[in-house]
């Protein structure tokens, strides 16, 4: 069976070659860089002790530097497993989730037609290139010079000129034996509702649009006359071209991604070309419309974290918001986007011309993650000075994160937004709240005060808990008492037993540092094993029987001094649940990173390589991020009272 090249390209693009080869080899951990799609292993085609077999996801190719074998997905399966080519295609199609094409003569005729249409598009490209260099193209050449494009750049992107004539291209193609129907099928002529067809592109600078194999499938034309209403005109959808499924400069950008494996999506043809001339070979652009879901999939085939770059004006910012809304539901581990916002009033072309490539590199280095952009949109310029407005912001953020389809990413986004809300409201309140003495006079102290059970709702409770938890490290250093965050977790579980069943997998494996808290945790698990979890008093009695009454009293005394009312016995279950979730998240993050830090330190001590050093630095940075989160909450926080040091 003969398979259409477009079908083979589609399934190859959908399945990373590493997933095909990875089933037969073990990747070398030292040389492999998963984030970049760069893999190394011992060659499966010949025996060797050191890895010289290399495959790259972005190229979809493998090569062994030892024995010289190389190929793509299909060749790997046919040569290593002895499959026939149709069987290999069927296997890759199954992995891609794409049905095998029906075997019929009509499909083969269409494929032949596509091949012939590609030939016609190539002829048109050559025609436009030649006319750019002719006397007719003088005005177009002058425009390109004014835009700063060198002759080499024009040739690299195969720029051309469509003369101001209704029949110039049509007559040229007819002289080459191209039929009228083929010209119409390529979208090169306008034939609907007119007695005689005519050239679609006239008096325009022509930008050839290529597919993933570098074949010209469409054109974009930029009008030279200011009187033309449509400044840019694209080819219509054809057998070869569907605008929402193609990125301008895709094939060239995939090859030019470089060591950082980054791809940049900008807004227009000229931005892509200007960036390439300035040394950025990894830029692509949608075709005159907002980025589509299919175009986003193309970006993710190249890299897990493309940079979406938007012009520095209100229209560019609105485009960034729309793109963020489109990206959000589809994010997964290893599939997201960053957003680069240009200076006010400038596009990439303007920026590199005025300030040079370094200015654009600075913009890229400051690209923001998706979570930052969403937060900025929902809070920028907003005033959240009432409980209703704060509740509305929380509701909006919950609705946003609920759109994420991936359960794990949705959970982490929820945690991220919760922590941002805590810090943000704390910052606002710290600017608005009265002096400490005035607050005491106005609102009283303890649970009868501002944040008591009759006061503000769950939001305020989370703020109080978060602020107090952030102080745990200082309390531990000052008095040598139980860590406050761990104490809050145990207190919440004992005082609100419903949380045990809801979170049993996490509760059972709690990693606590203080010996008394570990004993209380053991007694809690023992109570669960004996079915004594109907109410908190039964669990506390069980702890007393185990000789832990004093430890429990000290734990509760610490919680009361810190005024962590949401984990106390008379708090609402909703407040307790929220406080427990936050404390558990911080506890697990800190515990995991602490273990990874120890492993990384040991690895560097025993094997002081650059790779181990970089890994240690990365873990240290993540550990500092967790500490910084708590420090930020503390710095901005508004507690219901101070943690007593007595």
């Amino acid at each position: 069976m003969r398979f259409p090249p477009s079908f083979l390209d589609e399934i190859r693009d959908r399945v990373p070659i590493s997933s095909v080869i990875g089933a037969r080899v073990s990747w070398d951990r030292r040389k492999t860089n998963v984030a970049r799609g760069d893999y190394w292993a011992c060659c499966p085609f010949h025996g060797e002790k050191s890895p010289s077999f290399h495959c790259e996801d972005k190229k979809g190719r493998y090569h062994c530097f030892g024995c010289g074998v190389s190929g793509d997905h299909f060749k790997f399966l046919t040569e290593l497993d002895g499959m026939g080519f149709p069987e290999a295609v069927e296997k890759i199609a199954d992995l891609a989730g794409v049905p095998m094409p029906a075997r019929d003569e009509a499909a083969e005729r269409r494929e032949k037609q596509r091949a012939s249409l590609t030939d016609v598009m190539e002829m048109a490209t050559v025609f436009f290139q030649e006319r750019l260099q002719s006397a007719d193209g003088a005005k177009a050449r002058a425009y390109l010079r004014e835009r700063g494009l060198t002759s080499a750049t024009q040739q690299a992107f195969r720029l051309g000129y469509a003369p101001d004539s209704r029949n110039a291209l049509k007559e040229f193609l007819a002289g080459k034996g191209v039929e009228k129907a083929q010209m119409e099928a390529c979208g090169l002529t306008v034939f609907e509702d007119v007695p005689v067809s005519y050239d679609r592109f006239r008096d325009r600078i022509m930008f050839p649009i290529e597919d993933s194999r570098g074949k010209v499938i469409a054109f974009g034309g930029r009008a030279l006359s200011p009187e033309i209403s449509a400044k840019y005109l694209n080819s219509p959808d054809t057998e070869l071209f569907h605008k929402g499924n193609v990125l301008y400069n895709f094939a060239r950008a995939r090859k030019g991604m470089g060591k950082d494996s980054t791809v940049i999506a900008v807004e227009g043809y000229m931005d892509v070309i200007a960036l390439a001339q300035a040394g950025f070979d990894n830029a692509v652009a949608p075709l005159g419309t907002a980025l589509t879901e299919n175009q986003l999939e193309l970006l993710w085939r190249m890299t897990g974290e493309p940079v979406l770059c938007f012009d520095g004006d209100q229209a560019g910012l609105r485009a960034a918001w729309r793109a963020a809304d489109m990206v959000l539901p589809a994010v997964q581990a290893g599939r997201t986007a960053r957003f680069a916002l240009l200076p006010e009033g400038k596009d990439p072309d303007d920026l590199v011309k005025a300030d040079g490539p370094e200015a654009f590199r600075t913009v890229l280095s400051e690209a923001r993650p998706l979570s930052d952009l969403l937060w900025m949109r929902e809070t920028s310029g907003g005033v959240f000075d009432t409980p209703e407005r704060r509740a509305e912001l929380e509701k909006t953020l919950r609705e946003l994160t609920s759109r994420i389809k991936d359960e794990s990413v949705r959970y982490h986004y929820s945690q991220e937004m919760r922590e941002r809300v805590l810090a943000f409201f704390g910052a606002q309140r710290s600017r608005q709240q009265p002096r400490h003495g005035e607050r005491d006079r106005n609102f009283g102290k303890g649970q009868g005060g501002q944040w008591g059970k009759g006061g503000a709702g769950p939001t305020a409770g989370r703020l109080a808990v978060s602020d107090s938890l952030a102080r745990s490290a200082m309390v531990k250093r000052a008095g040598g008492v139980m860590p406050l965050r761990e104490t809050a977790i145990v207190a919440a579980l004992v005082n609100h037993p419903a949380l045990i069943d809801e979170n049993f997998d996490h509760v059972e494996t709690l990693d606590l540092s203080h010996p008394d808290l570990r004993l209380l945790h053991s007694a809690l698990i023992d109570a669960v094993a004996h079915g004594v979890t109907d109410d908190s008093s039964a669990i506390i009695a069980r702890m007393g029987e185990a000789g832990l009454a004093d430890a429990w009293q000290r734990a509760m005394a610490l919680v009361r001094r810190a005024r962590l009312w949401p984990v106390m016995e008379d708090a609402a279950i909703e407040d307790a649940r929220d406080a427990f979730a936050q404390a558990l998240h911080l506890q697990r993050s800190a515990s995991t990173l602490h273990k990874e830090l120890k492993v990384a330190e040991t690895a560097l001590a025993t094997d002081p390589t650059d790779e181990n050093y970089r890994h240690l630095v990365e873990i240290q940075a993540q550990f500092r991020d967790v500490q910084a989160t708590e420090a930020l909450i503390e710095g901005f926080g508004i507690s219901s009272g101070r943690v007593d040091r007595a």
Side-chain angles (χ1 to χ4, degrees):
M1 178 179 181
R2 184 180 181 276
F3 298 99
S6 57
F7 173 75
L8 298 180
D9 287 342
E10 180 183 2
I11 61 176
R12 256 192 305 247
D13 286 342
R14 287 194 178 207
V15 179
I17 192 169
S18 61
S19 65
V20 177
I21 298 174
R24 299 299 306 275
V25 303
S26 296
W27 301 120
D28 182 82
R29 295 178 62 187
R30 291 181 179 275
K31 296 181 70 174
T32 293
N33 189 322
V34 176
R36 295 178 182 172
D38 190 85
Y39 295 83
W40 291 85
C42 290
C43 180
F45 292 95
H46 80 286
E48 62 177 359
K49 294 183 179 179
S50 58
S52 61
F53 181 84
H54 179 228
C55 86
E56 291 182 88
D57 280 341
K58 68 179 181 181
K59 293 182 179 179
R61 303 285 296 179
Y62 65 85
H63 177 76
C64 177
F65 293 91
C67 66
V69 297
S70 62
D72 62 2
H73 304 59
F74 310 118
K75 192 171 182 181
F76 182 82
L77 294 176
T78 56
E79 293 197 351
L80 188 66
D81 288 349
M83 291 184 183
F85 184 73
E87 186 183 359
V89 171
E90 186 174 359
K91 184 176 179 65
I92 301 301
D94 184 56
L95 291 173
V98 175
M100 292 287 284
R103 187 172 184 177
D104 58 45
E105 294 180 1
E108 293 183 7
R109 282 197 301 271
R110 284 196 301 273
E111 191 57 36
K112 288 180 181 178
Q113 182 188 21
R114 283 176 59 88
S116 66
L117 295 183
T118 302
D119 293 337
V120 174
M121 296 300 285
E122 179 61 25
M123 292 179 200
T125 303
V126 172
F127 170 78
F128 292 138
Q129 285 183 287
E130 290 175 348
R131 297 310 288 262
L132 178 63
Q133 303 307 320
S134 70
D136 290 347
K139 183 170 59 172
R141 293 196 303 274
Y143 173 82
L144 294 174
R145 281 197 303 271
E146 289 172 7
R147 296 298 299 262
L149 299 187
T150 66
S151 222
T153 298
Q154 295 174 35
Q155 291 174 20
F157 283 86
R158 305 190 70 185
L159 302 188
Y161 173 67
D164 191 8
S165 165
R166 291 175 63 89
N167 301 301
L169 175 62
K170 188 169 68 169
E171 291 174 356
F172 170 81
L173 293 176
K176 297 285 186 179
V178 178
E179 298 175 0
K180 174 176 174 287
Q182 290 178 304
M183 299 181 207
E184 294 173 353
C186 287
L188 296 173
T189 58
V190 176
F191 59 92
E192 305 94 338
D193 302 323
V194 292
V196 179
S197 64
Y198 57 89
D199 291 353
R200 182 179 298 276
F201 299 100
R202 303 180 306 282
D203 194 26
R204 291 177 181 269
I205 293 173
M206 301 300 291
F207 300 85
I209 300 167
E210 300 173 344
D211 65 10
S212 61
R213 294 176 292 164
K215 301 288 186 182
V216 177
I217 56 173
F219 292 99
R222 202 268 187 206
L224 288 175
S225 171
E227 298 175 3
I228 302 297
S229 58
K231 182 178 177 182
Y232 280 95
L233 178 67
N234 287 326
S235 294
D237 278 6
T238 67
E239 179 71 21
L240 296 176
F241 174 63
H242 299 281
K243 183 165 59 175
N245 298 343
V246 178
L247 287 167
Y248 179 66
N249 200 45
F250 176 80
R252 192 178 289 104
R254 185 161 57 177
K255 294 177 182 176
M257 286 169 61
K259 293 183 179 179
D260 58 358
S261 294
T262 301
V263 63
I264 309 158
V266 292
E267 294 190 59
Y269 305 126
M270 288 301 298
D271 292 328
V272 169
I273 297 171
L275 287 174
Q277 186 168 281
F280 300 92
D281 296 322
N282 54 337
V284 298
L287 304 176
T289 61
L291 195 70
T292 67
E293 291 182 5
N294 288 340
Q295 289 168 336
L296 180 62
E297 280 294 331
L298 287 175
L299 291 174
W300 278 335
R301 289 179 197 174
M302 290 191 278
T303 179
E305 193 172 77
V307 177
L308 310 185
C309 185
F310 295 91
D311 294 350
D313 54 21
Q314 286 302 311
L317 196 57
R318 287 193 296 271
W321 300 152
R322 289 193 297 271
D325 284 332
M326 183 190 67
V327 171
L328 182 65
V331 292
Q332 302 173 14
R335 282 176 57 137
T336 184
R338 297 180 73 84
F339 294 78
L341 303 177
L342 291 154
E344 181 73 27
K346 289 190 176 181
D347 59 26
D349 186 14
D350 299 328
L351 188 63
V352 295
K353 281 179 185 171
D355 303 315
E358 282 305 317
F360 189 70
R361 287 193 183 92
T362 300
V363 169
L364 293 180
S365 69
E366 295 171 353
R368 302 182 179 202
L370 174 61
S371 57
D372 274 10
L373 196 78
L374 293 171
W375 174 261
M376 183 174 71
R377 180 180 71 182
E378 302 304 332
T379 60
S380 181
V383 177
F384 305 97
D385 56 351
T386 66
E388 294 84 358
R389 289 175 176 175
R390 291 193 289 273
E392 184 179 6
L393 175 62
E394 285 191 309
K395 179 182 177 183
T396 300
L397 295 174
R398 281 196 302 271
E399 290 174 348
L400 275 176
T401 56
S402 70
R403 298 179 197 169
I404 300 172
K405 297 175 183 176
D406 185 276
E407 183 178 355
S408 176
V409 175
R410 185 170 64 247
Y411 168 79
H412 286 289
Y413 259 76
S414 298
Q415 293 292 337
E416 168 87 4
M417 292 303 173
R418 181 181 289 112
E419 290 168 6
R420 285 176 183 263
V421 165
L422 297 177
F424 183 62
F425 287 171
Q428 286 205 333
R429 284 178 176 271
S430 65
R431 291 191 294 269
Q432 299 167 1
Q433 65 184 359
R435 290 192 299 272
H436 182 56
E438 293 176 353
R439 180 167 54 185
D440 285 346
R441 288 194 297 273
N442 291 335
F443 297 102
K445 299 180 180 180
Q447 290 192 0
Q450 185 180 6
W451 307 119
K453 58 184 176 181
T459 298
R462 292 195 294 274
L463 287 168
V465 171
S466 202
D467 179 67
S468 298
L469 291 176
R471 303 175 188 273
S472 61
M474 292 190 295
V475 172
K476 186 177 179 181
R477 287 195 297 270
V481 296
M482 301 173 181
L484 188 53
R485 183 174 61 216
E486 295 183 4
T487 308
I489 290 172
V490 173
L493 292 170
V494 174
N495 289 329
H496 301 275
L499 298 176
I500 300 173
D501 287 338
E502 294 175 9
N503 303 274
F504 186 74
D505 288 345
H506 298 314
V507 172
E508 187 181 25
T509 58
L510 270 178
D511 184 11
L512 303 171
S513 63
H514 196 279
D516 285 350
L517 292 176
R518 287 200 295 270
L519 291 173
L520 291 173
H521 175 251
S522 296
L524 180 66
I525 297 300
D526 183 64
V528 172
H530 288 82
V532 188
T533 54
D534 294 336
D535 57 50
S536 60
S537 59
I539 299 175
I540 295 170
R542 193 85 181 182
M543 290 176 171
E545 294 170 5
L548 298 173
D550 181 62
W552 172 246
Q553 290 301 322
R554 283 188 287 110
M556 285 303 298
L558 177 60
V559 168
R560 291 191 184 95
R561 286 202 304 273
R563 298 177 185 176
L564 294 182
W565 65 266
V567 303
M568 294 180 185
E569 59 274 14
D570 54 355
I573 184 61
E574 292 82 7
D575 293 341
R577 183 178 290 116
D578 213 10
F580 174 78
Q582 182 189 340
L584 180 64
H585 171 68
L586 290 173
Q587 177 74 7
R588 296 180 67 201
S589 298
S591 177
T592 300
L593 287 172
H594 182 72
K595 291 176 181 176
E596 291 180 0
L597 186 61
K598 292 297 183 185
V599 171
E601 288 172 346
T602 302
L604 182 62
T606 56
D607 186 13
T609 61
D610 289 346
E611 182 179 357
N612 283 338
Y613 174 73
R614 285 193 298 270
H615 182 59
L616 175 61
V617 170
E618 180 183 353
I619 297 300
Q620 288 173 331
Q622 294 177 31
F623 199 80
R624 285 194 296 271
D625 285 346
V626 171
Q627 293 175 322
T629 298
E630 292 192 289
L632 180 65
I633 294 170
E634 179 181 1
F636 285 141
I638 50 107
S639 68
S640 58
R642 298 290 186 261
V643 176
D644 297 333
R645 300 308 178 98

